[in-house]
Amino acid sequence: MSEPEVKYHPDARRPSRATRVREYLLLFLLPLIPMRYRARAYYEIESAHNLFTERSLYRNLGYWAGNPATLDDACEAMAELLGKTVGMSEGDRVLDAGFGFGDQDLYWAKRFAPDRIVGVDIIPSHLALARRRVHEQGLDGRIDLRLGTATELTFVAESFDRVVALESAMHFVTRADFFTEAYRVLRPGGTLALADTIPLTQSSTSRVLDYLQRALGAMPKDNAYPSDVYHSKLAAAGFVDVQVVSIRDEVYPGYIRDLADKLGQPQIVSRVNGAMRQMWRGWVDSWNQGADASSFADQDYVIAVATKPAG
Ligand SMILES: C[S@@+](CC[C@H](N)C(=O)[O-])C[C@H]1O[C@@H](n2cnc3c(N)ncnc32)[C@H](O)[C@@H]1O
C-alpha cells in the first residue's frame, strides 16, 4: 500500500511512537522545567507535525484583517505587517530573533530584498529544518540562521539596521534583556519591531489561568505587563519614537475561528498531539462562551516599534 499523501505541508511527517512518548513526557514535565529552558522544551513539542498551518511552517496566530483565506495567509500577513512596520528595505542588515522554521525570513528575503537576514533561535531540530528550507530555495547567501538566544546576542555593536521578533519575545528570559541587546546591536537610527502577546491589564481576572498560561506557554512572569509598561521598558532601554499598538481584534477572533474548524478535521486529529488538541479545544470553548475563563480573554496582542536615536 502506498504512503498516504502528506496534506499539510511538505515537511510534515507522521510522528513515530517514540516521538509521541517523548512529547507526552515533556508535556507532563513542562511546569517543572526551569523557565530559562522551558521555551526550548515547549517548542520541541510544537514540532512541524503539531502545527496547524497547511502549506507553510509558520507558528504565529496570524493577522486576520481583510479575512485571509487560510491560517498560512494570516501568518504571512503578520510577517508582512511586521516587515513594513520595521521599515525593512533593500540593502538592510536584519536580525530576526525567534525565527521558528524560517518562513518569515524566506518571505522577507523575497518581498523586501534586504541584503542579509541573520536569525537566532534556540531549537536545534527546528534550525536544521529551517536551514534546509533556506538551502532548497537557494537563499543561503542571504539568510543565515544560527542557534542562539535573543537575550545574549553574539554580534558586535551596531551591526544591524533592523531587529525583529515575530511572536517570540514573550518567551525571552527576559524580554527587557532582549530590548537592551537589540539596542546594542542596532546602528544609530536603526529600528526594532515586535509582534508580541502581553496581558491586557496588570491584574488578571483569574490567577490560576494566568499561572497555567505562563507555565504551559513558557512565558516568564517578568514579561507579564500591559502595553504602557511595555512602552516604558522600551524607552528605558534607550529607544525613542516608541509605539505600542494593539491589534488584538485582528488576531484572536480569526485564530480561534480557524482553530475551531481545524480541530475537527481528521488530518489534524491524526497528526497533532492529543493532549495539545485538548488544550486548544479548551481555549476555543472558553473563548466562545465569552467567559473570563478564556486564557485569551486577558491577553492583548501588540505591534511595537521603536528607534535607536541617530547619533
Ligand atoms: C510562536 S514561535 C514563532 C516562530 C516564528 N517567528 C513564526 O512566526 O512562525 C516562537 C519562537 O521563539 C523562539 N524562542 C523562544 N525563546 C527564544 C530565545 N530566548 N531566543 C531565540 N528564540 C527563542 C522559539 O523557539 C520559537 O521558534
Side-chain angles (χ1 to χ4, degrees):
M1 219 171 83
S2 62
E3 279 287 303
E5 184 194 358
V6 177
K7 267 200 93 176
Y8 276 81
H9 43 67
D11 294 307
R13 292 184 198 95
R14 206 166 271 265
S16 67
R17 190 179 287 266
T19 302
R20 277 288 188 246
V21 170
R22 186 165 170 275
E23 279 174 10
Y24 276 108
L25 208 64
L26 275 175
L27 269 173
F28 182 70
L29 293 173
L30 206 54
L32 306 176
I33 295 174
M35 192 51 91
R36 186 160 287 280
Y37 306 107
R38 204 175 298 171
R40 175 157 176 194
Y42 180 83
Y43 284 102
E44 286 285 356
I45 305 166
E46 281 228 350
S47 265
H49 56 268
N50 283 326
L51 302 183
F52 291 95
T53 38
E54 296 175 62
R55 64 173 166 77
S56 69
L57 296 174
Y58 278 111
R59 169 61 186 94
N60 67 68
L61 304 185
Y63 182 60
W64 296 86
N67 290 321
T70 64
L71 175 61
D72 303 79
D73 294 337
C75 290
E76 192 168 277
M78 186 67 87
E80 168 76 11
L81 178 65
L82 197 64
K84 277 196 174 146
T85 302
V86 82
M88 204 179 291
S89 58
E90 214 174 318
D92 277 347
R93 298 158 301 167
V94 177
L95 173 66
D96 180 16
F99 56 75
F101 291 98
D103 293 77
Q104 70 266 16
D105 304 317
L106 297 168
Y107 179 73
W108 288 330
K110 293 171 197 157
R111 170 77 175 89
F112 298 109
D115 182 50
R116 192 173 173 75
I117 301 175
V118 178
V120 292
D121 204 299
I122 53 173
I123 316 292
S125 59
H126 295 195
L127 169 70
L129 179 49
R131 275 189 180 156
R132 204 180 85 204
R133 301 172 82 214
V134 167
H135 180 68
E136 280 165 5
Q137 298 203 25
L139 288 167
D140 305 79
R142 295 177 53 206
I143 302 177
D144 169 6
L145 302 180
R146 305 180 187 188
L147 199 61
T149 175
T151 51
E152 286 168 42
L153 298 172
T154 54
F155 310 104
V156 296
E158 303 186 3
S159 46
F160 293 98
D161 304 290
R162 320 274 166 211
V163 175
V164 275
L166 203 179
E167 209 179 295
S168 46
M170 65 282 186
H171 297 301
F172 299 166
V173 186
T174 64
R175 184 195 282 122
D177 289 337
F178 168 63
F179 290 166
T180 306
E181 277 293 79
Y183 188 90
R184 183 181 67 77
V185 301
L186 272 172
R187 65 151 166 88
T191 321
L192 164 70
L194 309 97
D196 211 347
T197 67
I198 53 174
L200 267 176
T201 55
Q202 194 74 66
S203 55
S204 95
T205 42
S206 163
R207 282 190 185 190
V208 177
L209 277 173
D210 240 25
Y211 167 77
L212 283 176
Q213 163 114 344
R214 281 202 310 271
L216 298 176
M219 295 188 245
K221 195 167 186 197
D222 284 347
N223 292 347
Y225 42 78
S227 62
D228 55 333
V229 181
Y230 202 109
H231 192 289
S232 332
K233 287 192 186 269
L234 279 165
F239 287 101
V240 294
D241 299 330
V242 177
Q243 290 179 53
V244 184
V245 177
S246 174
I247 55 165
R248 181 177 192 272
D249 294 342
E250 286 76 44
V251 175
Y252 292 116
Y255 183 67
I256 296 281
R257 252 194 329 271
D258 185 75
L259 203 51
D261 182 42
K262 293 253 172 71
L263 283 168
Q265 295 178 0
Q267 302 94 321
I268 291 288
V269 173
S270 71
R271 72 182 175 85
V272 174
N273 180 298
M276 296 188 78
R277 278 188 283 113
Q278 273 309 114
M279 187 187 76
W280 289 114
R281 168 65 63 203
W283 286 12
V284 169
D285 290 347
S286 57
W287 175 276
N288 287 339
Q289 285 155 16
D292 285 345
S294 166
S295 46
F296 285 137
D298 286 329
Q299 286 292 302
D300 202 351
Y301 195 108
V302 293
I303 293 287
V305 60
T307 303
K308 178 167 175 172

PDB file of all heavy atoms in Angstrom, residues 34-59:
ATOM      1  N   PRO A  34      12.890  24.496  34.618  1.00  0.00           N
ATOM      2  CA  PRO A  34      13.161  25.907  34.920  1.00  0.00           C
ATOM      3  C   PRO A  34      12.812  26.805  33.728  1.00  0.00           C
ATOM      4  O   PRO A  34      13.020  26.412  32.573  1.00  0.00           O
ATOM      5  CB  PRO A  34      14.679  25.931  35.182  1.00  0.00           C
ATOM      6  CG  PRO A  34      15.043  24.532  35.520  1.00  0.00           C
ATOM      7  CD  PRO A  34      14.070  23.640  34.822  1.00  0.00           C
ATOM      8  N   MET A  35      12.253  27.987  34.023  1.00  0.00           N
ATOM      9  CA  MET A  35      11.742  28.861  32.963  1.00  0.00           C
ATOM     10  C   MET A  35      12.788  29.147  31.885  1.00  0.00           C
ATOM     11  O   MET A  35      12.464  29.262  30.710  1.00  0.00           O
ATOM     12  CB  MET A  35      11.228  30.165  33.592  1.00  0.00           C
ATOM     13  CG  MET A  35      10.428  31.029  32.647  1.00  0.00           C
ATOM     14  SD  MET A  35       9.068  30.184  31.764  1.00  0.00           S
ATOM     15  CE  MET A  35       7.684  30.438  32.868  1.00  0.00           C
ATOM     16  N   ARG A  36      14.052  29.229  32.276  1.00  0.00           N
ATOM     17  CA  ARG A  36      15.114  29.524  31.301  1.00  0.00           C
ATOM     18  C   ARG A  36      15.155  28.494  30.178  1.00  0.00           C
ATOM     19  O   ARG A  36      15.555  28.797  29.066  1.00  0.00           O
ATOM     20  CB  ARG A  36      16.455  29.562  32.064  1.00  0.00           C
ATOM     21  CG  ARG A  36      17.640  29.979  31.262  1.00  0.00           C
ATOM     22  CD  ARG A  36      18.766  30.458  32.141  1.00  0.00           C
ATOM     23  NE  ARG A  36      18.505  31.766  32.718  1.00  0.00           N
ATOM     24  CZ  ARG A  36      18.668  32.921  32.086  1.00  0.00           C
ATOM     25  NH1 ARG A  36      19.091  32.931  30.842  1.00  0.00           N
ATOM     26  NH2 ARG A  36      18.419  34.073  32.668  1.00  0.00           N
ATOM     27  N   TYR A  37      14.747  27.235  30.493  1.00  0.00           N
ATOM     28  CA  TYR A  37      14.828  26.164  29.485  1.00  0.00           C
ATOM     29  C   TYR A  37      13.445  25.739  28.987  1.00  0.00           C
ATOM     30  O   TYR A  37      13.331  24.860  28.148  1.00  0.00           O
ATOM     31  CB  TYR A  37      15.547  24.933  30.079  1.00  0.00           C
ATOM     32  CG  TYR A  37      16.886  25.295  30.658  1.00  0.00           C
ATOM     33  CD1 TYR A  37      17.071  25.334  32.034  1.00  0.00           C
ATOM     34  CD2 TYR A  37      17.956  25.641  29.825  1.00  0.00           C
ATOM     35  CE1 TYR A  37      18.299  25.705  32.569  1.00  0.00           C
ATOM     36  CE2 TYR A  37      19.172  26.015  30.355  1.00  0.00           C
ATOM     37  CZ  TYR A  37      19.341  26.048  31.731  1.00  0.00           C
ATOM     38  OH  TYR A  37      20.543  26.423  32.242  1.00  0.00           O
ATOM     39  N   ARG A  38      12.395  26.349  29.530  1.00  0.00           N
ATOM     40  CA  ARG A  38      11.054  25.828  29.247  1.00  0.00           C
ATOM     41  C   ARG A  38      10.615  26.065  27.804  1.00  0.00           C
ATOM     42  O   ARG A  38       9.965  25.217  27.192  1.00  0.00           O
ATOM     43  CB  ARG A  38      10.045  26.415  30.225  1.00  0.00           C
ATOM     44  CG  ARG A  38       8.834  25.508  30.346  1.00  0.00           C
ATOM     45  CD  ARG A  38       7.852  25.975  31.377  1.00  0.00           C
ATOM     46  NE  ARG A  38       8.414  26.013  32.710  1.00  0.00           N
ATOM     47  CZ  ARG A  38       7.809  26.557  33.753  1.00  0.00           C
ATOM     48  NH1 ARG A  38       6.615  27.100  33.603  1.00  0.00           N
ATOM     49  NH2 ARG A  38       8.387  26.566  34.932  1.00  0.00           N
ATOM     50  N   ALA A  39      10.957  27.230  27.235  1.00  0.00           N
ATOM     51  CA  ALA A  39      10.545  27.508  25.846  1.00  0.00           C
ATOM     52  C   ALA A  39      11.156  26.465  24.924  1.00  0.00           C
ATOM     53  O   ALA A  39      10.538  26.026  23.961  1.00  0.00           O
ATOM     54  CB  ALA A  39      10.985  28.906  25.434  1.00  0.00           C
ATOM     55  N   ARG A  40      12.367  26.038  25.258  1.00  0.00           N
ATOM     56  CA  ARG A  40      13.022  25.032  24.416  1.00  0.00           C
ATOM     57  C   ARG A  40      12.224  23.727  24.439  1.00  0.00           C
ATOM     58  O   ARG A  40      11.964  23.127  23.395  1.00  0.00           O
ATOM     59  CB  ARG A  40      14.457  24.814  24.898  1.00  0.00           C
ATOM     60  CG  ARG A  40      15.088  23.735  24.134  1.00  0.00           C
ATOM     61  CD  ARG A  40      16.564  23.765  24.093  1.00  0.00           C
ATOM     62  NE  ARG A  40      16.967  22.557  23.378  1.00  0.00           N
ATOM     63  CZ  ARG A  40      18.168  22.087  23.357  1.00  0.00           C
ATOM     64  NH1 ARG A  40      19.125  22.698  23.969  1.00  0.00           N
ATOM     65  NH2 ARG A  40      18.424  20.989  22.693  1.00  0.00           N
ATOM     66  N   ALA A  41      11.807  23.309  25.641  1.00  0.00           N
ATOM     67  CA  ALA A  41      11.020  22.068  25.750  1.00  0.00           C
ATOM     68  C   ALA A  41       9.682  22.236  25.036  1.00  0.00           C
ATOM     69  O   ALA A  41       9.231  21.356  24.300  1.00  0.00           O
ATOM     70  CB  ALA A  41      10.800  21.731  27.218  1.00  0.00           C
ATOM     71  N   TYR A  42       9.067  23.393  25.231  1.00  0.00           N
ATOM     72  CA  TYR A  42       7.758  23.659  24.628  1.00  0.00           C
ATOM     73  C   TYR A  42       7.828  23.546  23.107  1.00  0.00           C
ATOM     74  O   TYR A  42       6.977  22.902  22.478  1.00  0.00           O
ATOM     75  CB  TYR A  42       7.296  25.061  25.046  1.00  0.00           C
ATOM     76  CG  TYR A  42       5.949  25.464  24.502  1.00  0.00           C
ATOM     77  CD1 TYR A  42       4.784  25.069  25.142  1.00  0.00           C
ATOM     78  CD2 TYR A  42       5.840  26.238  23.357  1.00  0.00           C
ATOM     79  CE1 TYR A  42       3.546  25.435  24.648  1.00  0.00           C
ATOM     80  CE2 TYR A  42       4.612  26.607  22.858  1.00  0.00           C
ATOM     81  CZ  TYR A  42       3.467  26.209  23.514  1.00  0.00           C
ATOM     82  OH  TYR A  42       2.248  26.576  23.015  1.00  0.00           O
ATOM     83  N   TYR A  43       8.848  24.148  22.500  1.00  0.00           N
ATOM     84  CA  TYR A  43       8.916  24.129  21.029  1.00  0.00           C
ATOM     85  C   TYR A  43       9.492  22.826  20.485  1.00  0.00           C
ATOM     86  O   TYR A  43       9.339  22.534  19.297  1.00  0.00           O
ATOM     87  CB  TYR A  43       9.637  25.373  20.496  1.00  0.00           C
ATOM     88  CG  TYR A  43       8.709  26.566  20.573  1.00  0.00           C
ATOM     89  CD1 TYR A  43       8.830  27.501  21.583  1.00  0.00           C
ATOM     90  CD2 TYR A  43       7.662  26.701  19.670  1.00  0.00           C
ATOM     91  CE1 TYR A  43       7.938  28.565  21.689  1.00  0.00           C
ATOM     92  CE2 TYR A  43       6.763  27.756  19.767  1.00  0.00           C
ATOM     93  CZ  TYR A  43       6.901  28.683  20.773  1.00  0.00           C
ATOM     94  OH  TYR A  43       6.002  29.709  20.874  1.00  0.00           O
ATOM     95  N   GLU A  44      10.126  22.035  21.347  1.00  0.00           N
ATOM     96  CA  GLU A  44      10.477  20.670  20.920  1.00  0.00           C
ATOM     97  C   GLU A  44       9.181  19.887  20.694  1.00  0.00           C
ATOM     98  O   GLU A  44       9.077  19.056  19.806  1.00  0.00           O
ATOM     99  CB  GLU A  44      11.307  19.954  21.999  1.00  0.00           C
ATOM    100  CG  GLU A  44      12.736  20.419  22.120  1.00  0.00           C
ATOM    101  CD  GLU A  44      13.636  19.918  21.005  1.00  0.00           C
ATOM    102  OE1 GLU A  44      13.160  19.127  20.164  1.00  0.00           O
ATOM    103  OE2 GLU A  44      14.806  20.337  20.971  1.00  0.00           O
ATOM    104  N   ILE A  45       8.173  20.183  21.545  1.00  0.00           N
ATOM    105  CA  ILE A  45       6.878  19.516  21.387  1.00  0.00           C
ATOM    106  C   ILE A  45       6.153  20.074  20.161  1.00  0.00           C
ATOM    107  O   ILE A  45       5.592  19.331  19.371  1.00  0.00           O
ATOM    108  CB  ILE A  45       5.987  19.711  22.648  1.00  0.00           C
ATOM    109  CG1 ILE A  45       6.712  19.240  23.908  1.00  0.00           C
ATOM    110  CG2 ILE A  45       4.663  18.959  22.491  1.00  0.00           C
ATOM    111  CD1 ILE A  45       6.064  19.705  25.196  1.00  0.00           C
ATOM    112  N   GLU A  46       6.190  21.405  20.032  1.00  0.00           N
ATOM    113  CA  GLU A  46       5.485  22.027  18.896  1.00  0.00           C
ATOM    114  C   GLU A  46       6.309  21.867  17.618  1.00  0.00           C
ATOM    115  O   GLU A  46       6.729  22.859  17.011  1.00  0.00           O
ATOM    116  CB  GLU A  46       5.244  23.509  19.196  1.00  0.00           C
ATOM    117  CG  GLU A  46       4.071  23.699  20.108  1.00  0.00           C
ATOM    118  CD  GLU A  46       3.116  24.770  19.598  1.00  0.00           C
ATOM    119  OE1 GLU A  46       3.444  25.487  18.655  1.00  0.00           O
ATOM    120  OE2 GLU A  46       2.031  24.871  20.158  1.00  0.00           O
ATOM    121  N   SER A  47       6.513  20.642  17.225  1.00  0.00           N
ATOM    122  CA  SER A  47       7.274  20.371  16.013  1.00  0.00           C
ATOM    123  C   SER A  47       6.363  20.484  14.796  1.00  0.00           C
ATOM    124  O   SER A  47       5.157  20.694  14.936  1.00  0.00           O
ATOM    125  CB  SER A  47       7.866  18.975  16.099  1.00  0.00           C
ATOM    126  OG  SER A  47       9.170  19.083  16.581  1.00  0.00           O
ATOM    127  N   ALA A  48       6.938  20.274  13.609  1.00  0.00           N
ATOM    128  CA  ALA A  48       6.186  20.501  12.362  1.00  0.00           C
ATOM    129  C   ALA A  48       4.837  19.783  12.349  1.00  0.00           C
ATOM    130  O   ALA A  48       3.828  20.347  11.921  1.00  0.00           O
ATOM    131  CB  ALA A  48       7.038  20.075  11.179  1.00  0.00           C
ATOM    132  N   HIS A  49       4.796  18.528  12.832  1.00  0.00           N
ATOM    133  CA  HIS A  49       3.539  17.776  12.743  1.00  0.00           C
ATOM    134  C   HIS A  49       2.472  18.291  13.708  1.00  0.00           C
ATOM    135  O   HIS A  49       1.305  17.940  13.587  1.00  0.00           O
ATOM    136  CB  HIS A  49       3.787  16.274  12.985  1.00  0.00           C
ATOM    137  CG  HIS A  49       4.459  15.999  14.296  1.00  0.00           C
ATOM    138  ND1 HIS A  49       5.822  15.920  14.413  1.00  0.00           N
ATOM    139  CD2 HIS A  49       3.972  15.812  15.534  1.00  0.00           C
ATOM    140  CE1 HIS A  49       6.137  15.682  15.672  1.00  0.00           C
ATOM    141  NE2 HIS A  49       5.031  15.613  16.373  1.00  0.00           N
ATOM    142  N   ASN A  50       2.864  19.118  14.692  1.00  0.00           N
ATOM    143  CA  ASN A  50       1.884  19.647  15.647  1.00  0.00           C
ATOM    144  C   ASN A  50       1.430  21.069  15.313  1.00  0.00           C
ATOM    145  O   ASN A  50       0.780  21.714  16.131  1.00  0.00           O
ATOM    146  CB  ASN A  50       2.453  19.601  17.062  1.00  0.00           C
ATOM    147  CG  ASN A  50       2.419  18.188  17.637  1.00  0.00           C
ATOM    148  OD1 ASN A  50       1.495  17.423  17.336  1.00  0.00           O
ATOM    149  ND2 ASN A  50       3.415  17.832  18.432  1.00  0.00           N
ATOM    150  N   LEU A  51       1.787  21.549  14.128  1.00  0.00           N
ATOM    151  CA  LEU A  51       1.344  22.888  13.713  1.00  0.00           C
ATOM    152  C   LEU A  51       0.008  22.791  12.975  1.00  0.00           C
ATOM    153  O   LEU A  51      -0.344  21.740  12.442  1.00  0.00           O
ATOM    154  CB  LEU A  51       2.387  23.533  12.794  1.00  0.00           C
ATOM    155  CG  LEU A  51       3.805  23.691  13.353  1.00  0.00           C
ATOM    156  CD1 LEU A  51       4.697  24.406  12.348  1.00  0.00           C
ATOM    157  CD2 LEU A  51       3.796  24.461  14.671  1.00  0.00           C
ATOM    158  N   PHE A  52      -0.694  23.928  12.904  1.00  0.00           N
ATOM    159  CA  PHE A  52      -2.000  23.942  12.231  1.00  0.00           C
ATOM    160  C   PHE A  52      -1.933  24.556  10.833  1.00  0.00           C
ATOM    161  O   PHE A  52      -2.936  24.606  10.133  1.00  0.00           O
ATOM    162  CB  PHE A  52      -3.019  24.702  13.089  1.00  0.00           C
ATOM    163  CG  PHE A  52      -3.375  23.962  14.360  1.00  0.00           C
ATOM    164  CD1 PHE A  52      -2.729  24.239  15.548  1.00  0.00           C
ATOM    165  CD2 PHE A  52      -4.342  22.965  14.340  1.00  0.00           C
ATOM    166  CE1 PHE A  52      -3.039  23.541  16.707  1.00  0.00           C
ATOM    167  CE2 PHE A  52      -4.654  22.262  15.501  1.00  0.00           C
ATOM    168  CZ  PHE A  52      -4.004  22.551  16.689  1.00  0.00           C
ATOM    169  N   THR A  53      -0.773  25.060  10.451  1.00  0.00           N
ATOM    170  CA  THR A  53      -0.623  25.604   9.107  1.00  0.00           C
ATOM    171  C   THR A  53      -0.583  24.461   8.098  1.00  0.00           C
ATOM    172  O   THR A  53      -0.256  23.323   8.454  1.00  0.00           O
ATOM    173  CB  THR A  53       0.664  26.453   9.011  1.00  0.00           C
ATOM    174  OG1 THR A  53       1.678  25.819   9.784  1.00  0.00           O
ATOM    175  CG2 THR A  53       0.447  27.852   9.498  1.00  0.00           C
ATOM    176  N   GLU A  54      -0.901  24.772   6.821  1.00  0.00           N
ATOM    177  CA  GLU A  54      -1.013  23.708   5.829  1.00  0.00           C
ATOM    178  C   GLU A  54       0.129  23.719   4.818  1.00  0.00           C
ATOM    179  O   GLU A  54       0.756  22.712   4.569  1.00  0.00           O
ATOM    180  CB  GLU A  54      -2.355  23.818   5.105  1.00  0.00           C
ATOM    181  CG  GLU A  54      -3.513  23.589   6.076  1.00  0.00           C
ATOM    182  CD  GLU A  54      -4.855  23.810   5.433  1.00  0.00           C
ATOM    183  OE1 GLU A  54      -5.175  23.079   4.490  1.00  0.00           O
ATOM    184  OE2 GLU A  54      -5.573  24.718   5.873  1.00  0.00           O
ATOM    185  N   ARG A  55       0.403  24.889   4.211  1.00  0.00           N
ATOM    186  CA  ARG A  55       1.438  24.897   3.177  1.00  0.00           C
ATOM    187  C   ARG A  55       2.733  25.540   3.670  1.00  0.00           C
ATOM    188  O   ARG A  55       3.693  25.640   2.926  1.00  0.00           O
ATOM    189  CB  ARG A  55       0.943  25.601   1.911  1.00  0.00           C
ATOM    190  CG  ARG A  55       0.636  27.050   2.121  1.00  0.00           C
ATOM    191  CD  ARG A  55       0.293  27.821   0.850  1.00  0.00           C
ATOM    192  NE  ARG A  55      -0.303  29.091   1.196  1.00  0.00           N
ATOM    193  CZ  ARG A  55       0.369  30.150   1.634  1.00  0.00           C
ATOM    194  NH1 ARG A  55       1.671  30.102   1.761  1.00  0.00           N
ATOM    195  NH2 ARG A  55      -0.274  31.265   1.941  1.00  0.00           N
ATOM    196  N   SER A  56       2.733  25.979   4.929  1.00  0.00           N
ATOM    197  CA  SER A  56       3.930  26.597   5.491  1.00  0.00           C
ATOM    198  C   SER A  56       4.178  26.013   6.878  1.00  0.00           C
ATOM    199  O   SER A  56       3.417  25.157   7.341  1.00  0.00           O
ATOM    200  CB  SER A  56       3.726  28.110   5.615  1.00  0.00           C
ATOM    201  OG  SER A  56       2.767  28.377   6.632  1.00  0.00           O
ATOM    202  N   LEU A  57       5.250  26.487   7.520  1.00  0.00           N
ATOM    203  CA  LEU A  57       5.517  26.046   8.894  1.00  0.00           C
ATOM    204  C   LEU A  57       5.529  27.244   9.844  1.00  0.00           C
ATOM    205  O   LEU A  57       6.262  27.254  10.827  1.00  0.00           O
ATOM    206  CB  LEU A  57       6.856  25.298   8.958  1.00  0.00           C
ATOM    207  CG  LEU A  57       6.924  23.984   8.171  1.00  0.00           C
ATOM    208  CD1 LEU A  57       8.345  23.425   8.193  1.00  0.00           C
ATOM    209  CD2 LEU A  57       5.961  22.954   8.754  1.00  0.00           C
ATOM    210  N   TYR A  58       4.738  28.258   9.512  1.00  0.00           N
ATOM    211  CA  TYR A  58       4.592  29.380  10.444  1.00  0.00           C
ATOM    212  C   TYR A  58       4.002  28.876  11.746  1.00  0.00           C
ATOM    213  O   TYR A  58       3.163  27.969  11.760  1.00  0.00           O
ATOM    214  CB  TYR A  58       3.635  30.427   9.876  1.00  0.00           C
ATOM    215  CG  TYR A  58       4.233  31.407   8.892  1.00  0.00           C
ATOM    216  CD1 TYR A  58       3.873  31.373   7.549  1.00  0.00           C
ATOM    217  CD2 TYR A  58       5.113  32.392   9.320  1.00  0.00           C
ATOM    218  CE1 TYR A  58       4.393  32.301   6.649  1.00  0.00           C
ATOM    219  CE2 TYR A  58       5.641  33.321   8.420  1.00  0.00           C
ATOM    220  CZ  TYR A  58       5.276  33.273   7.095  1.00  0.00           C
ATOM    221  OH  TYR A  58       5.784  34.181   6.204  1.00  0.00           O
ATOM    222  N   ARG A  59       4.430  29.529  12.848  1.00  0.00           N
ATOM    223  CA  ARG A  59       3.813  29.229  14.131  1.00  0.00           C
ATOM    224  C   ARG A  59       3.511  30.558  14.833  1.00  0.00           C
ATOM    225  O   ARG A  59       4.115  30.905  15.841  1.00  0.00           O
ATOM    226  CB  ARG A  59       4.752  28.337  14.959  1.00  0.00           C
ATOM    227  CG  ARG A  59       4.365  28.145  16.421  1.00  0.00           C
ATOM    228  CD  ARG A  59       3.006  27.491  16.562  1.00  0.00           C
ATOM    229  NE  ARG A  59       2.571  27.421  17.949  1.00  0.00           N
ATOM    230  CZ  ARG A  59       1.792  28.340  18.520  1.00  0.00           C
ATOM    231  NH1 ARG A  59       1.387  29.409  17.870  1.00  0.00           N
ATOM    232  NH2 ARG A  59       1.421  28.182  19.776  1.00  0.00           N
TER     233      ARG A  59
END
